[in-house]
């Protein structure tokens, strides 16, 4: 595959539509989970310039930081804590238009204003989450939820 990403302008939907097959091609033939998570974050960051995009993976009773793009972040999050821990506990995608309004939000960076967290569910268990943060309010909606869920679905997780 080519290592160059074709960046498109246009609506959010158009951007995701262009990105999805490119991420699929990027992952094709590669079975290493870390490599695929890392490239997925890089591709999302490159297309959307998200403030922070990355994975937290379930290890015991905590989420532990995985591959990401953006500023340094907290390494461990307890189940039920913050947006990520709540998404894990509820097994639900959480869209937070204003992080200051979310009780217990974990501010890894004061610059983060809105957030979407998608649980990664395999065999009915949450094995991790994808967290995307924006420096602007109200950045995420059902379009992000739908495409990010499809994008996560491209990874073959070993655990
Ligand atoms: N804000 C998240 C923590 C992770 S960082 O933002 C990268 C939360 O409340 O779960």
């Amino acid at each position: 595959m080519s290592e160059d990403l074709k960046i498109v302008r246009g609506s959010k939907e158009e951007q995701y539509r262009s990105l999805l097959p490119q991420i699929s091609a990027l992952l094709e033939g590669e079975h290493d989970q870390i490599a695929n998570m890392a490239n997925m974050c890089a591709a999302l960051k490159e297309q959307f310039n998200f403030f922070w995009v990355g994975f937290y993976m379930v290890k015991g009773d905590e989420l532990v930081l995985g591959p990401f793009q953006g500023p340094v972040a907290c390494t461990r999050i307890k189940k039920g804590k913050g947006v990520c821990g709540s998404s894990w506990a509820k097994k639900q995608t959480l869209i937070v238009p204003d992080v200051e309004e979310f009780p217990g939000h974990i501010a890894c960076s004061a610059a983060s204003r809105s957030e979407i967290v998608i649980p990664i569910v395999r065999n009915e268990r949450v094995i991790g989450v994808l967290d995307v943060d924006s420096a602007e309010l109200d950045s995420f909606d059902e379009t992000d939820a739908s495409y990010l869920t499809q994008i996560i679905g491209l990874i073959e997780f070993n655990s």
Side-chain angles (χ1 to χ4, degrees):
M1 51 132 277
S2 152
E3 268 97 37
D4 286 333
L5 205 65
K6 184 176 159 249
I7 303 300
V8 296
R9 295 182 198 282
S11 71
K12 187 185 269 192
E13 177 110 30
E14 285 165 339
Q15 293 184 63
Y16 277 116
R17 270 213 221 118
S18 154
L19 193 59
L20 190 60
Q22 293 192 79
I23 295 184
S24 176
L26 201 57
L27 270 48
E28 207 179 297
E30 178 52 69
H31 300 289
D32 189 279
Q33 177 181 316
I34 302 279
N36 286 335
M37 290 194 291
N39 251 346
M40 189 173 278
C41 291
L44 285 165
K45 173 83 173 169
E46 220 178 313
Q47 174 62 54
F48 290 101
N49 198 25
F50 290 132
F51 177 70
W52 196 93
V53 49
F55 290 91
Y56 281 93
M57 300 309 288
V58 172
K59 293 197 177 157
D61 65 346
E62 291 178 317
L63 289 167
V64 181
L65 184 63
F68 71 96
Q69 293 268 320
V72 293
C74 16
T75 41
R76 289 174 187 269
I77 298 172
K78 292 271 185 212
K79 191 169 188 179
K81 298 289 175 198
V83 186
C84 292
S86 301
S87 168
W88 173 18
K90 293 181 174 158
K91 219 199 240 189
Q92 267 175 22
T93 293
L94 297 180
I95 295 172
V96 180
D98 180 352
V99 294
E100 284 177 22
E101 307 269 303
F102 188 92
H105 167 253
I106 301 163
C108 286
S109 165
S112 173
R113 307 291 302 281
S114 59
E115 179 163 352
I116 181 169
V117 179
I118 292 151
I120 305 164
V121 182
R122 294 292 184 275
N123 299 321
E124 290 170 36
R125 281 182 43 240
V126 177
I127 60 161
V129 300
L130 177 72
D131 177 12
V132 188
D133 296 355
S134 165
E136 278 148 44
L137 290 170
D138 204 10
S139 290
F140 304 106
D141 55 26
E142 289 305 325
T143 301
D144 299 281
S146 159
Y147 279 100
L148 291 172
T149 303
Q150 290 179 62
I151 288 171
I152 291 171
L154 297 170
I155 299 193
E156 185 187 306
F157 287 97
N158 313 319
S159 48

